[in-house]
Amino acid sequence: MSEAPVRPTGSTSPAQPSPNAVVAVLALSGITVSLMQTLVIPIVPELPKYLDASASNAAWAVTATLLAAAVATPVAGRLGDMFGKRLMLLVSLVLLVCGSVVAALSDTLVPMIIGRTLQGLAAAVVPLGISIMRDELPPERLAGSTALMSASLGVGGALGLPAAAFIADHYDWHVLFWTSAALGVVAFALVKLLVPESKVRSGGRFDALGAVGLAVGLVSLLLAVSKGADWGWASGTTLGLFALAVVVLLAWGFFELRTTQPLVDLRTTVRRQVLFTNLASIAFGFSMFAMSLVLPQLLQLPTQTGYGLGKSMLTVGLVMAPQGLVMMGFAPVSAAITKARGPKVTLMIGAVIVGVGYGLNILLMSEVWHLILVSCIIGAGVGFAYGAMPALIMGAVAASETAAANSLNTLMRSIGTSVASAVAGVILAQMTISLGGATLPSENGFKVVMAIGAGAAVLAFVLASFLPGRRPAEPEPAPAPAAPTAESVH
């Protein structure tokens, strides 16, 4: 167990702002960072031309962000617990701005990958923001505010797509990155002015070896998952990366259990409430991203296929945008149910709604309004679930471990989305039709992906059923080798 939290007597933070200002600024920061998910989607087909690179090499502009986010999220969470969550939030926003500027100035592949990597390193903003809320907000505001902050992951992605498509259609593509840099500067300034630094610190020594081990294991795993389709799932490179990931992560876990100040407290992660919340997060991440892969393709495929709608990328963005608004709108509903019945019930309701949305999508996929309806239903379910997850995590860990625990939960969602991308890619590559000499995903291929998305929602429901019926008033104590003392109980 980590040592008792250190609470400094002084704070370098500004005068105490209103809770509304803190929530608004943190939510804006979360939306700004989540925009990075969809920022380059409208220009992906053109990136090889823009960067004078092959299509497979240009795809690293997307992969680099994914890998950097996976590594940075748990590391920044632990550093936030140790040295200050607001400090790490500001560092993350600086990295976002720097990455955006580097990408905006790039015309070749290498600086673009560097810029996108720096943008990915800012991914810990959302879990850090949730942890700041726990430390700074009154208890009656916490559930609704953390639900809104958690939903910002989806809100930014959904709203960013039409905005990015509009900019890409009407301006030079570099404007996309100048815009993200400007948003990052605004978020940084507002955090600096209005968000106080938490006085809850864990102290201790940073586990550098654990950070390196986790980085190597996660990069190997996600690289194999995300690039396996391009390299071949049975290729030596893909299988070697999977094997390396297994060996390194097992060795990392062995090391973390034996170090006194681990990067990730694995004993905390195996508590029932934390474990099943994280497993359900993987399933929800899978389920949410499956829709993000299917709907844009259905909208853009030519009408000659009989099921494609032949729409532009801007139309795709406008169809997907209401989903983000629905997620934000359902955040207070999620919080109200959590207060009344506990976050377990909220999470299970979210899983049911997502499953229903995918079931409808299998039946309704021939009109634009069908896809708007489906995306809004799934968005509502994800909003419920993403609002409940921070409450479940924070109800099971000490305040001094909040950022690390929330960051690990965010990482679990990212792993789910990566697996969804790989699974959907394999299915859509195997189930195809031929049109005018081109090979395109078949209608049945999309239906299979949607059925798997529904299955992931059912799995999340089953996993959530193993959670405690009500949130505990205090975190569960970690097992201790000796009789507990007054310090070790808390």
Side-chain angles (χ1 to χ4, degrees), residues 18-37:
S18 71
N20 289 339
V22 173
V23 172
V25 170
L26 292 176
L28 173 65
S29 301
I31 290 171
T32 299
V33 170
S34 63
L35 288 172
M36 299 309 103
Q37 300 173 2

Side-chain angles (χ1 to χ4, degrees), residues 69-137:
V71 172
T73 301
V75 171
R78 174 62 178 147
L79 290 173
D81 282 334
M82 292 174 62
F83 303 116
K85 304 174 184 74
R86 174 176 176 266
L87 172 63
M88 290 310 302
L89 183 61
L90 291 170
V91 169
S92 296
L93 290 170
V94 167
L95 291 170
L96 171 66
V97 173
C98 292
S100 299
V101 171
V102 170
L105 294 173
S106 67
D107 286 306
T108 55
L109 182 63
V110 172
M112 171 62 77
I113 292 175
I114 293 172
R116 290 288 290 163
T117 299
L118 289 171
Q119 286 183 323
L121 293 176
V125 162
V126 170
L128 287 169
I130 291 171
S131 303
I132 290 172
M133 288 176 176
R134 181 186 190 181
D135 296 343
E136 302 299 329
L137 297 182

